[in-house]
Amino acid sequence: MANITAADVNKLRQITGAGMMDCKKALVEAEGNFDSAIEILRKKGQKVAANRSDRESTEGASIAVVNADKTAGVVITLGCETDFVGKNEGFVALATELANKALAFNTKEEFLASDFGGMTVADKLIEQTGVIGEKIEITSFEKLEGNFVGSYIHAGNKIATLVALSENVEGAEEAARNVAMQAAAMNPIALDETGVDQAIIDKEIEIAKDQLRAEGKPEAMLDNISKGKIQRFYKDNTLVNQDYIKDGSMSVAKYVQTVAPTLVVTGFKRASIG
């Protein structure tokens, strides 16, 4: 039987993040061979993942990161089962590390298949499921590119957003952060009216007409009045048309024009827990 020292156990723990007892058991089973012990811990993770496959990852951490030249960003949510795990410093650090690695990829599928310390990201999530004992998965992955990209992460990592601006001008960083904060707080469904799904528009028109009929408005007037209500819907639910949260006298579109007359918001991405 191999002589398993405390230093060996700690080394394996540093490599895998698994608990001390799990590391010791794996080393004993592997007769001191580190590669075999790591494989044992991974297999344990796969077993835990299989047992928890029907669980929902409704907690976790949403993280937004931007590249060095501010032209691309990614926002991901690393999901888990409990708020206790989601707030853990180690879990948030893992989510942040994953987000930074995700910058190099355009899709969630590419990212999950990429390398993470000698294993794929997908395998790392399985491993961490075994280590933590909860279902761990990437529940959202969004990439955004633009002439200037900024980010915002709400306190507690419950919401993270990215915003793209048309120009990298003086004040762009603060403007992008402010608009990203707006997107986090107000949860717009689209950038502007052109991005709203037609099915949503049709539903809102029908709701408006039903309300107007209930108020006794003549059928001939319904189309014109409902058009006004749809404009209000756009104002409330599309980012650039919303009232700016820091100054309700102007829209978000008007706010960015105070930074530079030709500046416009060209895109946003939002991820949240729940």
Side-chain angles (χ1 to χ4, degrees), residues 189 193 196-210 213 223 226 230 233-234:
I189 63 172
E193 53 269 40
V196 181
D197 189 272
Q198 187 60 46
I200 294 174
I201 297 172
D202 293 342
K203 182 180 178 182
E204 290 299 319
I205 290 173
E206 197 54 45
I207 290 171
K209 286 183 176 181
D210 286 344
R213 290 187 185 103
D223 282 340
S226 62
I230 284 298
F233 176 80
Y234 291 147

Side-chain angles (χ1 to χ4, degrees), residues 182 186 188 235-244 251-252:
Q182 171 98 20
M186 302 306 293
K235 181 176 173 60
D236 291 340
N237 294 282
T238 60
L239 180 59
V240 298
N241 294 310
Q242 287 178 337
D243 289 339
Y244 178 44
S251 67
V252 170

Side-chain angles (χ1 to χ4, degrees), residues 135-184:
K135 184 176 182 179
I136 307 298
E137 61 181 339
I138 303 292
T139 57
S140 62
F141 176 106
E142 298 284 354
K143 184 80 174 279
L144 183 66
E145 297 180 339
N147 291 329
F148 187 92
V149 178
S151 64
Y152 171 74
I153 302 175
H154 191 62
N157 306 298
K158 295 298 185 183
I159 307 170
T161 50
L162 297 168
V163 161
L165 301 178
S166 58
E167 302 171 65
N168 184 356
V169 296
E170 184 178 352
E173 185 154 4
E174 182 181 0
R177 178 176 169 78
N178 284 336
V179 179
M181 192 181 300
Q182 171 98 20

Side-chain angles (χ1 to χ4, degrees), residues 167 169-170 255-264:
E167 302 171 65
V169 296
E170 184 178 352
Y255 159 65
V256 297
Q257 287 175 353
T258 67
V259 178
T262 58
L263 193 63
V264 297

Side-chain angles (χ1 to χ4, degrees), residues 63-247:
I63 304 293
V65 295
V66 177
N67 66 2
D69 59 5
K70 309 291 186 181
T71 57
V74 70
V75 58
I76 72 165
T77 299
L78 183 62
C80 59
E81 296 176 32
T82 65
D83 188 50
F84 176 79
V85 168
K87 289 180 176 178
N88 180 273
E89 286 185 12
F91 183 85
V92 174
L94 175 63
T96 303
E97 184 179 3
L98 287 167
N100 278 293
K101 287 183 178 294
L103 269 171
F105 302 94
N106 292 318
T107 68
K108 178 179 173 180
E109 291 70 29
E110 289 175 355
F111 175 51
L112 288 174
S114 67
D115 178 75
F116 191 105
M119 65 181 86
T120 65
V121 170
D123 284 341
K124 182 66 177 180
L125 297 178
I126 290 172
E127 177 198 82
Q128 289 301 300
T129 294
V131 170
I132 295 170
E134 291 191 7
K135 184 176 182 179
I136 307 298
E137 61 181 339
I138 303 292
T139 57
S140 62
F141 176 106
E142 298 284 354
K143 184 80 174 279
L144 183 66
E145 297 180 339
N147 291 329
F148 187 92
V149 178
S151 64
Y152 171 74
I153 302 175
H154 191 62
N157 306 298
K158 295 298 185 183
I159 307 170
T161 50
L162 297 168
V163 161
L165 301 178
S166 58
E167 302 171 65
N168 184 356
V169 296
E170 184 178 352
E173 185 154 4
E174 182 181 0
R177 178 176 169 78
N178 284 336
V179 179
M181 192 181 300
Q182 171 98 20
M186 302 306 293
N187 193 17
I189 63 172
L191 177 65
D192 57 28
E193 53 269 40
T194 64
V196 181
D197 189 272
Q198 187 60 46
I200 294 174
I201 297 172
D202 293 342
K203 182 180 178 182
E204 290 299 319
I205 290 173
E206 197 54 45
I207 290 171
K209 286 183 176 181
D210 286 344
Q211 290 173 343
L212 293 168
R213 290 187 185 103
E215 294 169 8
K217 296 289 191 294
E219 197 71 24
M221 296 174 61
L222 298 189
D223 282 340
N224 283 336
I225 300 175
S226 62
K227 286 177 183 176
K229 287 186 176 290
I230 284 298
Q231 291 305 311
R232 179 67 200 188
F233 176 80
Y234 291 147
K235 181 176 173 60
D236 291 340
N237 294 282
T238 60
L239 180 59
V240 298
N241 294 310
Q242 287 178 337
D243 289 339
Y244 178 44
I245 54 175
K246 290 188 174 183
D247 183 350

